[in-house]
Amino acid sequence: MTGVAALCVPDATFDARLREVLRSDVEFIELIGDDLVAAGGKRVRPLLVLLAAQALGAQPGSGLAGGTGGWGDVLDLGVGVELLHSASLLHDDLIDDADTRRGQQAAFRRFGNVVSVMSGDFMLSRLLVLLSGMPGGPALTRMFGQTASVICEGEVLQFQLAAYQEYEVRHYLQVIHGKTAALTELAASAPAVLLGAPAHVREALATFGREYGMAFQMQDDLLDLAGDEAVIGKPVGGDLREGKATLPVLALLDGPHGSEVRDIVERRAAQPGDVERVRLLAAQFGALDRTREEIRRRAQLAIDALGALPLSEARAALEGLARREIERLT
């Protein structure tokens, strides 16, 4: 194996295709699309698409297995996943009243609510056009539609739980699946549908994407409570201030200081010292360690799922993404 550098990953070619798909004669839509491409980001979701496809034998510049299409369909599938992700971010920023996105002014701040929402809908419409021309288009469209509904349900459930002050692990897992893991599950498994892979391979990639996404989101939630502000680049305790009970907080609710922590969550950490108090209790009573252990467990489940695939550079790269979540804990 020569390493990830030998694999096709989202690069200038990917960005050019994304820009092409987003092209519009309407200036404001075009500008939002340009901002999306220029901002870049980690492109984790399209990376999953490209790596999963290569793990299944697809090669850049060649036809797909069985002669169904070509590498361009794989690229378009990655673009489609990025479109769904970006559309959800445009809507999320407005809902969350965010000021910035990836270091830039949030679209709704710059262009207004209507333009931002309709641009997100424009991205979804372009996604449908992409899917309609792909091999396995109906099945892929169904997958994307189901994922979009799960994303919406997860976002709404998060607000519902805060409003009703309902704090349970099963609800938390449902929320983070909707927020993050549903889309990584789609990104990892959709290439199997495009390539006509066997059902057990599709399920293995779905399991990888889901468990990797769960570990990824749990890691972000852990850092929000226990991270170093200088490292994560934002104030800690944001979830507490929004009335969200993440995994380490849920662990505390079942402990001797459960009533105190519940009061802090319910008042959204509005009093001085609330966040620091929860941080202290989480460290003192093992809530952080239990969360770290769950992240390790989820990441290992993701790695184990890839055992259904043949050894390859692409499979190793996927395993590396999951291992990185474990390494971030040290």
Side-chain angles (χ1 to χ4, degrees):
M1 295 185 183
T2 57
V4 179
L7 298 170
C8 183
V9 298
D11 56 11
T13 301
F14 176 86
D15 285 353
R17 180 56 178 155
L18 179 60
R19 190 183 300 276
E20 180 183 0
V21 171
L22 288 171
R23 188 164 295 131
S24 171
D25 292 333
V26 178
E27 182 181 358
F28 280 8
I29 293 179
E30 182 84 357
L31 288 172
I32 288 178
D34 287 345
D35 286 347
L36 167 64
V37 176
K42 297 177 182 178
R43 301 274 197 245
V44 170
R45 294 149 192 87
L47 175 62
L48 290 176
V49 171
L50 300 188
L51 290 179
Q54 289 169 99
L56 296 176
Q59 297 295 325
S62 63
L64 300 182
T68 56
W71 183 253
D73 290 316
V74 174
L75 280 179
D76 278 356
L77 193 60
V79 168
V81 169
E82 188 71 357
L83 288 175
L84 178 55
H85 176 54
S86 298
S88 70
L89 293 182
L90 283 174
H91 297 160
D92 286 350
D93 285 345
L94 196 157
I95 293 168
D96 294 339
D97 199 29
D99 291 322
T100 61
R101 165 66 62 182
R102 293 172 179 167
Q104 302 294 322
Q105 188 178 33
F108 80 96
R109 296 284 187 195
R110 183 178 175 189
F111 299 104
N113 294 359
V114 173
V115 171
S116 183
V117 170
M118 295 307 296
S119 294
D121 293 347
F122 174 83
M123 292 178 185
L124 295 176
S125 69
R126 287 299 169 92
L127 166 61
L128 292 174
V129 173
L130 277 181
L131 294 175
S132 70
M134 289 184 187
L140 288 170
T141 301
R142 187 178 306 111
M143 289 179 70
F144 273 78
Q146 290 171 339
T147 300
S149 68
V150 171
I151 292 171
C152 293
E153 288 174 334
E155 289 292 342
V156 174
L157 178 61
Q158 184 170 247
F159 281 91
Q160 176 182 307
L161 296 176
Y164 289 165
Q165 299 176 345
E166 296 176 348
Y167 311 119
E168 296 182 31
V169 171
R170 64 186 180 92
H171 287 149
Y172 169 75
L173 296 178
Q174 186 177 351
V175 167
I176 67 170
H177 179 253
K179 286 179 59 176
T180 300
L183 195 49
T184 54
E185 180 178 346
L186 172 71
S189 60
V193 175
L194 179 69
L195 292 161
H200 76 279
V201 173
R202 298 183 193 181
E203 183 54 39
L205 284 167
T207 299
F208 167 81
R210 180 173 60 254
E211 297 301 338
Y212 166 68
M214 296 292 278
F216 185 95
Q217 187 58 54
M218 288 178 183
Q219 181 75 266
D220 273 6
D221 293 345
L222 177 65
L223 290 172
D224 181 80
L225 181 64
D228 184 335
E229 293 186 5
V231 174
I232 64 176
K234 62 179 181 179
V236 297
D239 289 331
L240 282 173
R241 295 186 185 93
E242 294 176 10
K244 300 172 185 175
T246 55
L247 199 57
V249 174
L250 288 166
L252 288 176
L253 291 178
D254 290 331
H257 294 271
S259 295
E260 179 187 1
V261 174
R262 175 176 286 273
D263 288 343
I264 291 174
V265 177
E266 289 180 354
R267 66 175 176 255
R268 306 194 174 206
Q271 295 181 7
D274 276 349
V275 171
E276 286 304 319
R277 177 60 175 165
V278 175
R279 280 164 60 94
L280 176 64
L281 292 173
Q284 183 177 354
F285 288 92
L288 300 182
D289 288 338
R290 275 179 278 175
T291 300
R292 294 186 183 104
E293 185 55 38
E294 182 63 8
I295 292 169
R296 290 189 187 95
R297 188 182 76 84
R298 295 275 181 172
Q300 190 60 52
L301 286 173
I303 294 167
D304 292 344
L306 294 176
L309 278 66
L311 292 172
S312 67
E313 289 177 293
R315 172 181 153 177
L318 289 170
E319 291 175 351
L321 290 175
R323 292 190 193 282
R324 191 176 305 163
E325 296 309 310
I326 298 175
E327 292 167 0
R328 287 171 66 191
L329 295 170
T330 60

